[in-house]
């Protein structure tokens, strides 16, 4: 048997191009269904891990899927905003802790999440560099954002304008990076967290500008009534909150009317959860409460239906590759007919010749399995990041 192995190895090494081509063909035909299974399993784990730790999500009635995905994964979606009044209403019921979320802007492509400090405790997010949010204009960034943008505490991060051609829209704010979060292996790693008031400043609800003197800054005064001075639009607004101009920042309107995208609700107990769901399960209510686990299960059902199509396609591709390899081996046998005759004349039995052919097949499949195993191990390390990059 050792002679057969030696001859087989010598033949495969001599025909390097043919051997490599066959190994790659077999490897790809095996790797495709393996990657599909790994990808779907990782996709399901990522979705369910986030959903299982999010009891309830509340927001304006509309797409349940957009509401869940934006609240958990910070995907940009065109959702109608609710108000802080709804946050206070739920909080006053005493049934749950309400964590507001305002997710409308980005900074260097990373979603800006306006929220309260309760969110960090809820998600168990810890600051490993710097401090937590301290004042207006501060931001805490996820580990991936810090790595991608090379940011550290003390640096500045500018928010992205919604529309560079809309001069009357939001004003980009230069935020002060005060902390970097520990890696959480979740969408929080790719987000920029700010206080709700900072998010409202980015949206234009609040702003800061230089103080106006009606006597010396006549060009900036629109109207003066007694002790009240109304400035015009020419007054320059600050695009960064500093210790010097912090006192000049103010908001127009009542805080109860200020917008939030959604809320994460943490019920006190199962009974409180049922009561909350019952309160808003009416046609008159403009707010909807959803269980993220149910939404994710619906999404996974759609994914599994698509996966069935991929499975069928993979089966057809595997059959095609198998037939192609069979054809290659048959042609190889015909081309090597004189070689087999020579071996037979040298004293090799027909069974020995067929053993050589089968050993070649075994070596090729064994090499293909080794290649697939190595690629699978490597991809497992980066599969989580790849799935988040492409799908979440």
């Amino acid at each position: 048997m050792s002679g057969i192995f030696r001859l087989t190895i010598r033949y495969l090494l001599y025909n390097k191009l043919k051997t490599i081509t066959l190994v790659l063909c077999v490897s790809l035909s095996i790797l495709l269904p393996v990657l599909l299974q790994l990808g779907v399993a990782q996709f399901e784990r990522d979705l369910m891990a986030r959903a299982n730790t999010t009891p309830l999500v509340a927001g304006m009635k509309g797409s349940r899927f957009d509401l869940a995905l934006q609240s958990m994964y910070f995907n940009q979606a065109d959702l109608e905003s609710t108000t802080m009044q709804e946050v206070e209403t739920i909080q006053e019921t005493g049934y749950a802790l309400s964590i507001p979320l305002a997710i409308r802007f980005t900074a260097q492509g990373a979603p800006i999440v306006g929220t309260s400090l309760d969110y960090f405790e809820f998600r168990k997010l810890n600051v490993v560099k710097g401090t937590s949010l301290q004042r207006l204009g501060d931001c805490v960034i996820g580990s991936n954002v810090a790595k991608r943008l090379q940011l550290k505490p003390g640096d500045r991060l500018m928010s992205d304008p919604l529309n560079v051609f809309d001069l009357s829209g939001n004003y980009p704010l230069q935020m002060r990076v005060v902390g970097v979060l520990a890696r959480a292996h979740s969408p929080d790693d790719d987000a920029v967290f700010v206080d709700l008031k900072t998010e409202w400043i980015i949206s234009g609800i609040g702003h800061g500008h230089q103080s106006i003197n009606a006597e010396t800054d006549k060009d900036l005064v629109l109207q003066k009534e007694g002790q009240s001075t109304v400035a015009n639009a020419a007054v320059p607004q600050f695009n960064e909150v500093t210790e010097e101009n912090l006192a000049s920042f103010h908001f127009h309107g009542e805080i109860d009317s200020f917008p939030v995208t959604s809320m994460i609700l943490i019920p006190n107990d199962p009974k409180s959860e049922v009561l909350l769901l019952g309160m808003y399960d009416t046609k008159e209510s403009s707010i909807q409460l959803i269980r993220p686990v149910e939404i994710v299960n619906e999404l996974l059902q759609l994914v599994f239906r698509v996966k069935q199509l991929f499975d069928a396609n993979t089966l057809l591709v595997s059959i095609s590759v198998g037939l192609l390899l069979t054809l290659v081996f048959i042609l190889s046998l015909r081309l090597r007919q004189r070689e087999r005759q020579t071996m037979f004349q040298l004293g090799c039995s027909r069974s020995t010749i067929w053993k050589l052919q089968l050993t070649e097949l075994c070596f090729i499949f064994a090499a293909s399995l080794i290649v697939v195993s190595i690629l699978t191990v490597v991809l497992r390390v980066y599969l989580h990041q790849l799935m988040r990059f492409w799908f979440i």
Side-chain angles (χ1 to χ4, degrees), residues 303-362:
V303 171
F304 289 139
R305 290 178 185 175
V306 175
K307 179 178 174 295
Q308 291 176 354
L309 296 177
F310 277 103
D311 287 340
N313 180 70
T314 302
L315 178 61
L316 293 176
V317 171
S318 299
I319 293 174
S320 300
V321 172
L323 293 175
L324 179 62
L325 292 176
T326 303
L327 178 61
V328 169
F329 283 118
I330 292 175
L331 292 176
S332 177
L333 289 175
R334 289 189 176 183
L335 291 173
R336 297 172 63 186
Q337 186 174 0
R338 293 181 60 186
E339 176 185 334
R340 294 198 304 275
Q341 288 178 352
T342 301
M343 295 176 65
F344 183 71
Q345 291 172 355
L346 290 173
C348 289
S349 64
R350 295 187 183 275
S351 62
T352 301
I353 295 174
W354 283 108
K355 285 178 183 179
L356 283 170
Q357 305 294 330
L358 292 176
T359 305
E360 288 180 20
L361 287 176
C362 291

Side-chain angles (χ1 to χ4, degrees), residues 36-52 64-65 68-69 72-73 291-311 387 391-392:
L36 183 62
Q37 295 295 333
L38 288 176
V40 171
Q42 184 66 49
F43 185 71
E44 181 180 6
R45 283 195 297 270
D46 287 344
L47 285 178
M48 292 306 300
R50 194 73 164 176
N52 287 328
R64 298 179 298 120
F65 297 103
L69 293 177
M72 292 190 296
Y73 303 101
R291 286 191 176 101
V293 172
E294 297 177 356
I295 303 301
V296 170
N297 281 327
E298 290 184 36
L299 286 173
L300 289 176
Q301 289 177 6
L302 296 175
V303 171
F304 289 139
R305 290 178 185 175
V306 175
K307 179 178 174 295
Q308 291 176 354
L309 296 177
F310 277 103
D311 287 340
M387 294 299 296
F391 298 106
I392 301 179

Side-chain angles (χ1 to χ4, degrees), residues 63 65-80 102-114 160-162 190-192 199 261 391-392:
S63 171
F65 297 103
D66 285 344
L67 177 60
L69 293 177
Q70 186 173 42
S71 300
M72 292 190 296
Y73 303 101
F74 314 137
N75 291 356
Q76 294 296 318
D78 188 16
L79 293 178
E80 184 180 355
I103 310 166
R104 295 180 293 171
F105 304 101
T106 59
Q108 297 292 317
I112 297 176
V113 182
D160 302 326
L162 289 180
D190 300 295
V192 176
E199 201 274 348
T261 305
F391 298 106
I392 301 179

